[in-house]
Structures are given as structure tokens and as C-alpha cells.
Amino acid sequence: MSVTPREPAIRPFSFEFPEAELEELRRRIAAARWPEQETVADQSQGTQLATVQELARYWASEYDWRKVEAKLKALPHFITEIDGLDIHFIHVRSQHEDALPLIVTHGWPGSVVEQLKIIDPLVDPTAHGGSASDAFHVVIPSMPGYGFSGKPTTTGWGPERIARAWGELMKRLGYTKYAAQGGDWGAIVTDFMGVQEPEGLVGIHTNMAGVVPSGIDAALIAGNPLPAGLTLSDEEKAAVEQLDFVYRHVYFAYLMGSRPQSLTALADSPVGLAAFMLDHDAASLDMIARAFAGQAEGLTRDDVLDNLTLFWLTNTAISAARLYAENTNSFFGVKGVNLPVAVSVFPDEMYQAPKSWAEQAYPNLVHYNRVARGGHFAAWEQPELLVEEVRAGLRSLR
């Protein structure tokens, strides 16, 4: 007699962080040992001392984790084992009958906190300037090693494997037609979902397009001259200059990609964790520094600390960093997606993907738009704009 294997269970998930853990966090912040001030007047040596000291002061004396904790707890959380690893996800279904399921993937140094502002507008568009035909059922997983998901104990959890796991997750949830969206690592995972074409995936939306031609990408990564004979438009030349700067300055990626375990201090010092994670890209660091200097724009002080505190409480600085060591792909290069793709280009992204490259990289490009403002963390910084782009970009795929 044969026995049919049982489908792995999808289990409700809850979390609780005792006050003692928050008290210990504040104690560690207060006990920070500070270096001397940087010897330059800008961010060229990294996160400036004044920014980190103001962040630490606010984190230890005014910040209230319980506010974002309440927002998180108000959402339906689940966990399920996929490929031997527990995967946590938020799953919010729309009341609208014809809603399109959408799996949204965060990046580094992010978490599901990045997407909190876009959930309601996507799920309940009629309450947020849209129509019922714009509705989505939203699935937001924590990537392996991030947030509430399990931490891999062996190598092999790169973006391709995560993409396969997301396809399995959507199948397990019973979705036979769905789309995918992402930025940062989420964009790379989403691109690979587009490459793998799991059953039911009808298209993707990206706010960090992987469209750089292979010859240009390889030359810039190596710091070599571009291939001979290239004729570039002004838009393409601007993208090349931006990419050249990025590849020369993403030191965090090189460090995590080669020596993640050597960053153990990030698990021991909340101030060290903050100083490292704030230094993602120049525009984002400038914006965050302005926030801690008292200017309200894009991310707020609480936004930044909501995410940092989740990293601290879940002790995921090192497990998250290992994703860089697992990756063998270009961040911005062409992956080979043939499904329908929608691209949104934010002006302060690390590079502005030219439409000409997007048309070559994504032969089924159904939407391309340059938006007015916003940067790398689009869902977090400019949720209204990103929601508008997701609605418009995926509308033809319903």
C-alpha cells in the first residue's frame, strides 16, 4: 500500500519580544564606545559620527519599538517549511473578488518592515485612490536568514533557490495565477522567478531592473574600459557613469560577499549594526542623515529604527549578510526573463535603467516609467508612487 505524502503545513506564526530584551538593547546603546570624528566634511568615509550619535541618542531614549510591533502583530503571519527551511510570510487577502495575488520581496538591509506602507493600498485600493480592479492579495516573505524566517545552516541559499521557494510558496497557498514584485535583492529574486517561470506566474514588476548588457556589466565590475565600438545614447552614458560609481563604492557588498562571518561585531553592538547598515548607497545615506538631523523626508527616524531593531531582536545581521556570499550573479545584469515585465525607475536609485536596455533585457516589456522622486527603498520611501506603479505596470496581466 502506498501512502501519499502530506503537504507541508502552513502554520500561524506569532512573536513576542520581552521588555528585558529592549532594556538590554538600550543598555548596549548607552555603553557604546565612540571613535573620533571623521576627517572629512562629507559622507566619503562612511556614516558620519554625528549621524550615528544622534541615532543612538534617539534609539536609547525616545524610540518606541512597540509601535511598529503593534502594526506587525495586526497582520496575519504564517510560517511553512520549504526545502528544509522555515519560511515566514505575511499574507493579507483582499476583500475584492478578482484581486491578483502578488508576492513582494524585500532586500538588504531590509525586512518585511520595508513593505508595511504598501499593504493596505494594494489590498484595499478603493480606500486609497484606486478602483476595485486594482486589488491584490499580498504575500510578503522574509528571505532566508532575515527577520522571522529560518537561518540556513548550510550553503546554497542564493537568489535562484529563494526564487524556487517563492514559487513553491505561492503554489502551496493555492494561487494558480499571480505576479511578483521586488527591489534590491527582491528584484534579483523576482527576476529569477521570471527566468524559472513557475506555474501560475504571469509577470513581474521591478524597481531595480536587471538590464545592463553583459559586456558593459563585466567591464564595469572589473574596472576595465568598455568594449570597443560601443555607441551609447546620453541616457546610456549616464547609466554607465552611475554604475561605475556604484561598483567602486559598494564596499559593504564586497565585505559581506567574501567575509560575512568576520562581521560578528554587528551581532554584538547595536551602534555598530546601525553604522554599517545605514551605509548602503550615497543617496539613501544622505537622506537618512538628514532625517536624524531633523528634516522630514522619505524615511523617518522611526522607519530606520523599526528595521534596525527587528534585525537586532532577531539577531540576523550575519545570517542576512551571507546572502551576498551565496550570490554568483551580477546585481544589475541581464538574467534572461521572457515573461511580461514592468519596470519603474526611481531617480535616486543606484542607477537609472535606460529604456533601451530594458527593451533588450526584457523582450516582453509591458510597462516602463521614470517616476518623479524616490530612491532605492521605494516601497519604504515613496509607498504611494510605488503602489501606483505596481497597479499600472501589472494592470494588463490581470
Side-chain angles (χ1 to χ4, degrees):
M1 182 179 71
S2 62
V3 177
T4 302
R6 293 177 60 190
E7 185 76 11
I10 294 175
R11 314 182 299 276
F13 175 82
S14 60
F15 61 92
E16 191 67 47
F17 295 110
E19 190 61 30
E21 293 191 35
L22 297 174
E23 291 173 358
E24 173 62 9
L25 168 60
R26 290 188 283 266
R27 185 197 69 78
R28 285 174 176 262
I29 296 168
R33 184 171 71 166
W34 298 101
E36 65 284 352
Q37 183 175 314
E38 61 278 357
T39 56
V40 294
D42 55 25
Q43 310 273 18
S44 60
Q45 291 184 355
T47 311
Q48 290 177 292
L49 181 63
T51 298
V52 185
Q53 287 185 324
E54 174 56 20
L55 179 151
R57 183 204 64 77
Y58 182 78
W59 203 0
S61 63
E62 297 183 40
Y63 171 73
D64 183 2
W65 159 258
R66 300 301 185 192
K67 289 182 180 179
V68 72
E69 184 181 73
K71 293 178 184 177
L72 284 166
K73 286 187 173 184
L75 297 167
H77 294 253
F78 302 90
I79 203 159
T80 189
E81 183 181 318
I82 299 177
D83 202 6
L85 192 70
D86 276 345
I87 299 297
H88 159 266
F89 61 99
I90 294 168
H91 185 197
V92 185
R93 286 186 58 83
S94 175
Q95 64 180 344
H96 297 292
E97 184 177 341
D98 296 325
L100 177 66
L102 178 69
I103 183 166
V104 183
T105 309
H106 65 80
W108 185 95
S111 64
V112 295
V113 167
E114 274 189 69
Q115 281 84 28
L116 290 181
K117 299 173 188 176
I118 66 172
I119 294 174
D120 282 347
L122 290 173
V123 170
D124 189 10
T126 56
H128 297 272
S131 65
S133 60
D134 289 323
F136 294 90
H137 302 306
V138 176
V139 178
I140 305 175
S142 296
M143 287 199 298
Y146 288 69
F148 301 116
S149 279
K151 301 176 181 180
T153 57
T154 59
T155 58
W157 275 98
E160 297 99 324
R161 188 172 178 182
I162 296 171
R164 287 193 294 271
W166 283 191
E168 170 61 25
L169 174 59
M170 295 304 275
K171 177 183 176 183
R172 197 171 293 182
L173 290 172
Y175 289 133
T176 57
K177 177 182 179 180
Y178 66 93
Q181 196 284 327
D184 193 87
W185 278 117
I188 298 170
V189 169
T190 299
D191 261 0
F192 277 114
M193 291 185 74
V195 171
Q196 295 165 8
E197 299 189 14
E199 185 177 357
L201 181 65
V202 295
I204 68 174
H205 175 275
T206 177
N207 55 280
M208 193 188 82
V211 301
V212 184
S214 59
I216 293 175
D217 197 46
L220 292 172
I221 291 172
N224 293 332
L226 295 184
L230 281 180
T231 300
L232 301 177
S233 68
D234 290 343
E235 189 180 48
E236 292 166 346
K237 288 176 183 176
V240 166
E241 291 175 2
Q242 292 163 341
L243 287 163
D244 183 58
F245 179 87
V246 168
Y247 282 136
R248 293 176 189 274
H249 291 88
V250 285
Y251 305 117
F252 67 88
Y254 298 133
L255 185 56
M256 289 189 289
S258 60
R259 313 291 287 178
Q261 202 66 26
S262 293
L263 295 169
T264 294
L266 303 185
D268 184 62
S269 167
V271 169
L273 178 70
F276 185 78
M277 286 193 160
L278 262 56
D279 194 12
H280 178 276
D281 65 276
S284 296
L285 179 56
D286 284 343
M287 177 182 57
I288 292 169
R290 291 193 295 271
F292 281 98
Q295 299 180 38
E297 59 172 297
L299 300 182
T300 67
R301 294 181 298 178
D302 280 7
D303 286 333
V304 175
L305 290 173
D306 290 344
N307 185 59
L308 283 170
T309 305
L310 181 61
F311 264 90
W312 178 261
L313 292 173
T314 55
N315 191 17
T316 46
I318 305 305
S319 56
R322 291 195 188 103
L323 179 54
Y324 286 84
E326 294 289 348
N327 182 52
T328 58
N329 307 283
S330 163
F331 293 126
F332 309 114
V334 177
K335 307 297 189 297
V337 181
N338 291 312
L339 287 178
V341 179
V343 172
S344 299
V345 180
F346 285 76
D348 291 329
E349 180 55 272
M350 291 191 285
Y351 91 109
Q352 280 74 65
K355 186 175 184 181
S356 56
W357 290 358
E359 290 171 336
Q360 295 169 27
Y362 302 129
N364 200 348
L365 185 69
V366 296
H367 173 88
Y368 175 95
N369 188 41
R370 288 176 172 255
V371 299
R373 61 188 180 280
H376 186 70
F377 302 101
W380 215 8
E381 298 171 39
Q382 301 293 337
E384 295 88 358
L385 284 176
L386 184 69
V387 166
E388 289 175 8
E389 283 295 295
V390 172
R391 289 174 182 169
L394 299 177
R395 193 166 285 142
S396 66
L397 307 183
R398 290 180 177 274

